[in-house]
Amino acid sequence: MKSTLIKTTLGMLPLGLMARGAQADWDRGGRAYQPAFQQSQAHGQQIDARQDRQAARIRAALRAGRLSRFEFRELMHEQRRIRVMERHFRADGVINEREFQHIERALDMASRTIRAETHGRQARSAYGRPSRFN
């Protein structure tokens, strides 16, 4: 009886130590994960702010008559594709540096497209008359 109790106790001792060690690793991992999470939040805020500014530029250009309805829809569709990409990257809970750079490149291209479309001549009135197709 006494030897069975000792064997059981000694048998359970390593399990308890392993569980305690796993818990200590988990705590360390949680603290190490925190800066990555904070960086991801900062990336997310930068992306959201930039997309909001781009959407405002698109709406302002439409109101000013520098965009046709077709151009407006295309530019807003491009913004939606970038939001979907961001949502896909954020699915694991963090946006890492590589994913952030990928989204930044997409936003750069979108910004160039917005500039090109708003400075194009298609939506402007031709010869002083408003275009009936805008």
Side-chain angles (χ1 to χ4, degrees), residues 48-110:
D48 291 341
R50 190 162 174 200
Q51 277 197 304
D52 291 342
R53 286 191 306 269
Q54 286 184 357
R57 283 173 54 199
I58 294 168
R59 283 190 219 96
L62 179 68
R63 280 193 304 270
R66 292 180 291 166
L67 283 179
S68 66
R69 286 179 293 171
F70 176 76
E71 291 168 337
F72 173 77
R73 282 193 305 268
E74 287 296 312
L75 291 173
M76 291 308 279
H77 185 68
E78 186 176 22
Q79 293 295 311
R80 277 192 297 279
R81 283 192 305 259
I82 294 171
R83 286 233 188 258
V84 167
M85 181 190 323
E86 179 189 1
R87 214 173 301 127
H88 174 73
F89 287 153
R90 198 185 290 258
D92 63 351
V94 240
I95 295 177
N96 63 27
E97 192 63 34
R98 189 177 135 266
E99 294 168 343
F100 176 69
Q101 289 173 354
H102 190 78
I103 294 173
E104 279 289 306
R105 279 193 303 273
L107 287 169
D108 289 342
M109 288 174 30

Side-chain angles (χ1 to χ4, degrees), residues 2 8 14 18 28-29 38 43 46-48 54 58 60 75 81 90 94 99 102 109 112 117 121:
K2 196 173 196 180
T8 306
M18 286 180 1
R28 232 178 324 168
Q38 289 172 348
H43 287 327
Q46 287 175 346
I47 291 166
D48 291 341
Q54 286 184 357
I58 294 168
L75 291 173
R81 283 192 305 259
R90 198 185 290 258
V94 240
E99 294 168 343
H102 190 78
M109 288 174 30
R112 284 192 294 271
E117 293 293 341
R121 293 213 173 260

